[in-house]
Amino acid sequence: MAANHPPVDRRARRKAATRAKLLEAAQAVFARQGIDATRINEITEEADVGFGSFYNHFESKDAVVAALVEDTVGAIGVAINAATASLDDPAEVVSAAHRTLVRWAAEDPEFGWLLVRLEATHDLATSALRSYAVRDIKRGLDSARFDVVDPDLALAATGGALLGVVKLVLRGHALEDAATRHAAGVLRLLGVPAGEAERVAARPLPAVTVAGRDD
Amino acid sequence: MAANHPPVDRRARRKAATRAKLLEAAQAVFARQGIDATRINEITEEADVGFGSFYNHFESKDAVVAALVEDTVGAIGVAINAATASLDDPAEVVSAAHRTLVRWAAEDPEFGWLLVRLEATHDLATSALRSYAVRDIKRGLDSARFDVVDPDLALAATGGALLGVVKLVLRGHALEDAATRHAAGVLRLLGVPAGEAERVAARPLPAVTVAGRDD
């Protein structure tokens, strides 16, 4: 099939494939042992790629982290954003985002641990999702759906709550109902009355599709 | 002063002093570069203690982490518990605990970062405070002050929210009002109506005194 492509394309494709292998390997090693404790040769060994070729793709370990966040968490943010674009209620958008992230972390523990570890040490996980979260909280405040005095504080608290729940689920707490109950808790924290928060969190979850993910 | 003590006491005191130096050094190095990336010789160098004598006090780096958590976070838990023992309202106890922890993390950033890093990778910070938090949430549910279906989930969410807010404050967000607003958010998440949550979070904070801390 590839034989019809000119060589320049083949080289580009091969380069992209190696980069993808390195990113996948880095994600696996980071999830296993943490970012701080990972050395570049452990990434190249996991990827079955020569040590030197790492530097054809990335300047440093931090560059891998940044690319991983952009590729993984960023893509998820884009996908959730697209799936919730038709929802008028900012509370429902926030609920759908939290429910989707909890579900994905549970169904793909490697992604879940990456989210937890990135956030703790690099604070990059939130930066990729942050612009959406900031916008959603602002929309909720503008429409008086939410009621908080300090949106930055509310963002930090709800993001932290998400990571706490993701960790709980990764450590074996049943996913069943956890995502929905967590979303209701987040809405309460943002000022939605308890009963209403539960009703919004129980609405049908829009299907979210991310390029390169099979769920 | 010490000359009147028999030699065995002097040895015991010297041993305790070295152990304390190693713990203090470990806390500083962990806060600076993370637990995973820290090697034992970096702790002994920071403490200005011979590498070999480390093993007279601790079996491993993990043993240092455990001792540090017990000494630091455990002592804070005991102190908050003592300071709030006379409060009848479980919501006020939860609020006082969260407010105190946010304030201390802000006033002692080394402690704050230790809390954040320990929680992310070792999940020990919550285990030292966990028994109090579990009891307080249970008391709130038994008295119908709180309203959550899954106490474990609520514990994970409120603990995560605390760490998110601690990080925000460590990164420079004004402490002023943050501790109180965070506590109100936690009470809302636990099912306390918004206005009532704010009133409880604004009650005078009991003075909490920890052995070895000067605030």
Side-chain angles (χ1 to χ4, degrees), chain A residues 15 26 37 39 42 54 61-62 111 149 165 179:
Chain A
K15 186 167 180 184
R39 279 175 309 207
E42 293 174 296
F54 177 90
K61 191 171 72 175
D62 277 355
F111 161 71
V149 182
V165 169

Side-chain angles (χ1 to χ4, degrees), chain B residues 15-170:
Chain B
K15 185 165 181 184
T18 305
R19 186 179 183 279
K21 269 209 281 188
L22 284 167
L23 282 174
E24 203 181 316
Q27 173 159 359
V29 181
F30 289 161
R32 209 157 56 221
Q33 65 193 45
I35 296 165
D36 290 342
T38 296
R39 279 176 308 207
I40 285 168
N41 68 303
E42 293 174 297
I43 298 172
T44 53
E45 274 163 32
E46 176 91 14
D48 200 17
V49 160
F51 178 75
S53 83
F54 176 89
Y55 293 97
N56 296 334
H57 301 276
F58 302 103
E59 256 182 27
S60 62
K61 191 171 70 175
D62 277 355
V64 181
V65 173
L68 209 48
V69 171
E70 204 179 305
D71 284 14
T72 308
V73 185
I76 287 173
V78 169
I80 294 176
N81 184 50
T84 56
S86 64
L87 300 177
D88 289 328
D89 181 358
E92 190 170 355
V93 174
V94 168
S95 161
H98 278 262
R99 288 167 68 193
T100 302
L101 288 164
V102 171
R103 297 204 72 86
W104 271 346
E107 285 160 12
D108 181 352
E110 213 170 79
F111 162 70
W113 281 115
L114 181 75
L115 201 68
V116 170
R117 287 179 180 281
L118 278 177
E119 176 52 31
T121 54
H122 289 72
D123 204 35
L124 291 167
T126 47
S127 76
L129 297 171
R130 191 187 156 83
S131 58
Y132 300 114
V134 167
R135 179 204 59 189
D136 295 338
I137 290 180
K138 186 177 182 311
R139 279 181 62 204
L141 290 171
D142 289 348
S143 61
R145 185 69 159 140
F146 297 155
D147 174 24
V148 292
V149 182
D150 182 342
D152 288 338
L153 189 78
L155 184 65
T158 52
L162 171 66
L163 289 165
V165 168
V166 162
K167 260 199 296 191
L168 185 76
V169 169
L170 286 170

